[in-house]
Amino acid sequence: MTDAREVICRSQEKDAWWFLAGLGAVATIAAVALRAASGAYAWLGAGLLSVPMGLLSLHRATARVRADARGLHVRTLLRRRSLPWSDIADLHVRLTNENNPRAQEGRRVVAVLRDGRRRRLPLPLSRSPHDPDFDDTLDALRTLHRRHGTPRSGHLPVISHRTVGRGRAGSLVLCALLLTGAGLAAWSVPETGARERAWKSAVPCTARTPAEDRSECLTVLPAVIERTEPHHPKKENWLYFADARPMRRLAVSYDAAEEFRPGDRVRLTLWRGGVRTVAGDRHVWHDHIPGAGEVAVIAVGLFLAAGYPAAQALIRLRGRHRPDDEVLPSALPFAAALVVTGLWLLPLCYLYFATPLGPPATLTWAAAGTLTSLALVTRAWRATRIRVPEATGEPPAAPDGEEVFVRARFLDPTDYNPHFFGTHIVLGGGAPPAVVPHPGPGRYAARPIPVDRLTLRAVRRARGGDGDTVPANWHVAELDDEGTPVRLAAAPADLARILDRLT
């Protein structure tokens, strides 16, 4: 980065990326040479594996972003493009690695164009939530944008997985994949049911059974177990047969491998080319034949699982006109409705194919479950609607002589909220409002709030820059503490009660 008239962003690990790119090139050339010398394809495979690493390293090493009075100039390995400031509506910060607990949360810059398209910049890039170099570079870019362009907003939008600007493509793709799996499982239900009925109705083969029809009847063969290999309930366990007759080994359950002993004489029942039963004096093992009810349960389960990403996409569709960094309501109310639906629908699907209950019981079960699910979906629809701060109504009254502990938190460190220690605000009791680190009772460790210093500026919905500690249904009050901006977050009704006492 140079002066304020021009900003140049290069990778801080440029030398490391060049080293990795060179290492990948050397590995590829060495693998090709060894392939030509020895003729072994294993070396060629190793060389091909090093190609993606080399290209990625070369892409990171050659990436550069330069900003001047004309706009942003982006150079990567494969292309170069320029974005004039007049075409850029805003600069956003997108959080990365949010759902990976093993990696630190990172940040990168996204340029939002006037036509709604988004261009993710390769640099600057931060791999930690607190990076002074990233903050300084971003401030310089925003200064150039304000000087030579017309930003859409004055604050810095932060886009996370909870905000409007994240997009719904991922949820739609996941929903489509789950629905495809549900459709394939439902398509195989009739075939699975026919196979289950054929197995239950199969009879032993006779001498008169034609050779071409013997796969549909039961063939019983004697065998002697040579040894067993019980490994683990979640791994394959084996039975080995003496003289490899009628086969060398057979995969069975862990319990069967534990029960059978070397030297046991058993009878193998074959059907449709596979061993379905191993019967001995001490234990009988049955191969599991999936039924139509089980496949139907899988199909319905995948269909219900697709409902959650569909609900996420629906919530994002309802909030498409909200600011990009505004936090959307959580889809957990829809998840609860889907779980309750599965509790009555999955057993009904299984019993419909396994042991039918009869029309009256089936219709009663289905009708009661459907009404329950519809009620929960309606409640979830209402719970996930976007409530703007203007619609909170009048604050609920509370007696002045009674202490009320309200769950709320200041999002900025102050002298009455040092090190973000406050989790609640206590009101009433004949004392001024105070910040406390507990839900009461008592004012232990309370820090009084200087009401005379605070001025209310605005009340808004939660944004991505407020952090993940703020629930999606909370509102944020922007206060002025003698020139210092302070944010206070709480549920809409609780925030109205607190602001009534503070202002």
Side-chain angles (χ1 to χ4, degrees), residues 9 49-50 54 62 99 102 108 134 136-137 188 205 224 240 270 323 352 364 368 376 387 402 419 439 444-445 482:
C9 304
L49 290 177
S50 63
T62 57
N99 299 323
R102 298 183 179 180
R108 63 189 318 156
F134 178 88
D136 295 341
T137 304
S188 65
C205 299
V224 178
Y240 288 83
L270 282 69
Y352 179 81
T364 302
L376 292 175
R387 297 174 174 86
E402 178 184 351
H419 307 291
Y444 174 74
E482 294 184 343

Side-chain angles (χ1 to χ4, degrees), residues 134-287:
F134 178 88
D135 297 333
D136 295 341
T137 304
L138 180 59
D139 290 340
L141 292 176
R142 297 185 68 206
T143 300
L144 286 174
H145 189 202
R146 287 192 298 266
R147 183 181 303 169
H148 304 288
T150 54
R152 183 180 299 171
S153 59
H155 75 282
L156 177 62
V158 178
I159 310 301
S160 67
H161 68 282
R162 304 194 304 160
T163 59
V164 177
R166 192 67 174 190
R168 52 182 181 271
S171 298
L172 293 177
V173 170
L174 179 59
C175 179
L177 292 176
L178 292 174
L179 289 178
T180 301
L184 293 176
W187 177 74
S188 65
V189 168
E191 181 181 355
T192 304
R195 187 168 183 266
E196 181 186 19
R197 291 189 297 270
W199 162 250
K200 291 181 178 180
S201 61
V203 296
C205 299
T206 62
R208 297 180 180 180
T209 303
E212 60 272 12
D213 295 337
R214 284 190 171 271
S215 62
E216 296 298 326
C217 58
L218 304 180
T219 302
V220 180
L221 298 176
V224 178
I225 295 179
E226 183 180 68
R227 60 188 176 91
T228 63
E229 285 188 359
H231 291 152
H232 193 273
K234 295 184 179 180
K235 295 183 179 180
E236 286 187 324
N237 305 275
W238 300 97
L239 295 181
Y240 288 83
F241 300 101
D243 301 327
R245 295 170 56 186
M247 61 184 61
R248 178 172 174 265
R249 64 178 185 175
L250 175 66
V252 296
S253 64
Y254 177 77
D255 294 337
E258 283 284 339
E259 292 293 335
F260 287 112
R261 296 288 185 270
D264 286 352
R265 297 182 179 274
V266 295
R267 299 177 302 279
L268 308 184
T269 302
L270 282 69
W271 182 72
R272 291 190 177 182
V275 178
R276 305 304 175 186
T277 303
V278 179
D281 295 336
R282 68 175 70 246
H283 187 72
V284 178
W285 171 81
H286 297 279
D287 186 20

Side-chain angles (χ1 to χ4, degrees), residues 44-405:
L44 184 61
L48 293 178
L49 290 177
S50 63
V51 171
M53 182 193 70
L55 292 178
L56 177 61
S57 303
L58 189 61
H59 173 79
R60 295 288 180 86
T62 57
R64 192 187 75 160
V65 175
R66 182 173 61 88
D68 53 21
R70 292 176 297 175
L72 290 173
H73 311 282
V74 181
R75 185 188 72 181
T76 58
L77 178 63
L78 299 179
R79 63 177 300 182
R80 298 184 181 185
R81 64 173 181 264
S82 296
L83 302 174
W85 291 120
S86 58
D87 294 343
I88 300 176
D90 218 339
L91 294 177
H92 292 180
V93 172
R94 173 164 293 187
L95 303 182
T96 59
N97 298 328
E98 299 174 82
N99 299 323
N100 187 1
R102 298 183 179 180
Q104 282 191 331
E105 185 179 84
R107 295 176 293 171
R108 63 189 318 156
V109 180
V110 177
V112 181
L113 305 183
R114 297 289 177 184
D115 56 5
R117 293 179 299 171
R118 291 172 169 81
R119 294 290 182 264
R120 187 173 60 179
L121 304 182
L123 296 170
L125 179 65
S126 173
R127 292 183 175 84
S128 65
H130 306 288
D131 188 346
D133 294 336
F134 178 88
D135 297 333
D136 295 341
T137 304
L138 180 59
D139 290 340
L141 292 176
R142 297 185 68 206
T143 300
L144 286 174
H145 189 202
R146 287 192 298 266
R147 183 181 303 169
H148 304 288
T150 54
R152 183 180 299 171
S153 59
H155 75 282
L156 177 62
V158 178
I159 310 301
S160 67
H161 68 282
R162 304 194 304 160
T163 59
V164 177
R166 192 67 174 190
R168 52 182 181 271
S171 298
L172 293 177
V173 170
L174 179 59
C175 179
L177 292 176
L178 292 174
L179 289 178
T180 301
L184 293 176
W187 177 74
S188 65
V189 168
E191 181 181 355
T192 304
R195 187 168 183 266
E196 181 186 19
R197 291 189 297 270
W199 162 250
K200 291 181 178 180
S201 61
V203 296
C205 299
T206 62
R208 297 180 180 180
T209 303
E212 60 272 12
D213 295 337
R214 284 190 171 271
S215 62
E216 296 298 326
C217 58
L218 304 180
T219 302
V220 180
L221 298 176
V224 178
I225 295 179
E226 183 180 68
R227 60 188 176 91
T228 63
E229 285 188 359
H231 291 152
H232 193 273
K234 295 184 179 180
K235 295 183 179 180
E236 286 187 324
N237 305 275
W238 300 97
L239 295 181
Y240 288 83
F241 300 101
D243 301 327
R245 295 170 56 186
M247 61 184 61
R248 178 172 174 265
R249 64 178 185 175
L250 175 66
V252 296
S253 64
Y254 177 77
D255 294 337
E258 283 284 339
E259 292 293 335
F260 287 112
R261 296 288 185 270
D264 286 352
R265 297 182 179 274
V266 295
R267 299 177 302 279
L268 308 184
T269 302
L270 282 69
W271 182 72
R272 291 190 177 182
V275 178
R276 305 304 175 186
T277 303
V278 179
D281 295 336
R282 68 175 70 246
H283 187 72
V284 178
W285 171 81
H286 297 279
D287 186 20
H288 179 66
I289 304 294
E294 299 175 28
V295 180
V297 167
I298 294 176
V300 175
L302 291 175
F303 179 80
L304 293 177
Y308 186 72
Q312 290 179 320
L314 178 62
I315 292 175
R316 294 189 180 277
L317 181 63
R318 295 173 69 182
R320 63 188 181 278
H321 299 303
R322 306 299 301 175
D324 286 348
D325 62 336
E326 191 171 282
V327 176
L328 289 171
S330 174
L332 289 180
F334 284 102
L338 293 171
V339 170
V340 173
T341 302
L343 292 179
W344 68 264
L345 185 56
L346 295 179
L348 180 62
C349 292
Y350 180 81
L351 295 176
Y352 179 81
F353 292 96
T355 55
L357 302 176
T362 302
L363 292 177
T364 302
W365 190 336
T370 302
L371 292 177
T372 303
S373 297
L374 288 177
L376 292 175
V377 169
T378 303
R379 182 178 179 181
W381 175 266
R382 294 177 179 176
T384 55
R385 70 179 183 268
I386 297 178
R387 297 174 174 86
V388 295
E390 292 77 10
T392 56
E394 294 294 330
D400 291 337
E402 178 184 351
E403 286 188 347
V404 179
F405 289 81

